[in-house]
Amino acid sequence: MILSIESSCDDSSIAITNIKTKELIYHKKISQELQHSSYGGVVPELAARLHIEALPKILEETKEFFPKLKAIAVTNAPGLSVTLMEGVTMAKALAISLDLPLIAVNHLKGHIYSLFIEKDEILPSTILLVSGGHTQIIEANSYTNMKIIATTLDDSFGESFDKVSKMMKLGYPGGPIIQEYALQGDENRFDFPIPLRQSPKIEFSYSGLKNAVRLEIEKIGELSHQDKADICASFQKTAVSHILQKVKKYFKSYVPKNFAIVGGASANIYLRTQIEELCNKNNTKLHLSQLKYCSDNAAMIGRVAIEQYKNNEFTKIEDIDIQTRIKAFK
Ligand code: KG4
Ligand code: ZN
């Protein structure tokens, strides 16, 4: 079995995975959404302190599996440096005290492998990764051959939901809240500009849309419930239209057999529906992670770690580093 740890942002999570059967034996996650809610976003220092409390608490429940462990896996990049450090430090301590090898896992590969928890992988596939930190199109050919095709120039898709929610003081995380408000709103009331509409490049940007929403909010002044719902619906439609236009552009040059949406924001129903329609038109099979594995979790880290274990891809305890960003997969 492999014990895996995830602490790249505001979720403390540990999983135990069977290497041979891929079965998820144990999985627990303690989220910090409530504690960050009043700040309208994740406060790294507070997140780090909460991981210090949560991770040992979860670890305590996994002690019975210690004699069966073959490796310790941990997310080491990308993420917030102070929170990654908590997981990595715990992983190092466990590897030393239990005399086990260490596996450093890329968080983005984790999101991709959230599709394959307790399942065999279905690759090659083109992946749309949408989370609080990333908006990317990735061509995943195999576990060791992944290429980032497109990324965002500024904010990410999920982050723009968080920021628009913060502007209207609706709470954190903004994604599910905006989605809920949007259900009662008129998506055609505000004509927000679709980002990079004229650009032939396949890339993303959300700062312009975010500012357009800010200006509209300032223009209205005191917002009624209906104003908020209409802003949410119009914003969500534009944010998703931007992704859809760029994915359509991608499909023009290459129609993949498999397409998947992963990451916390892949829970967005509007996005799922629009992409599903596009995939159906192109005879592309759409894959989605189970909702419980869309947001950050250690089960997906454990699933990648199985592949790394089989490939003997271990990291020396003294060599493990943390990275806040990655430009390409190693
Ligand atoms: O993958 P994740 O848990 O953490 C990161 O790796 O960033 O993603 C969290 C992000 C947050 O920005 C949250 O607002 C967004 O995913 N999110 C959504 C939805 N549910 C979560 N965004 C849009 N629509 C949703 N339904
Ligand atoms: Zn994530």
Side-chain angles (χ1 to χ4, degrees), residues 107 111 131-133 158-159 161-162 173-176 179 263-265 267-268 294-296:
H107 182 78
H111 275 303
S131 68
E159 188 180 7
F161 279 70
D162 295 335
Q179 173 169 289
N268 188 278
C294 284
S295 56
D296 293 348

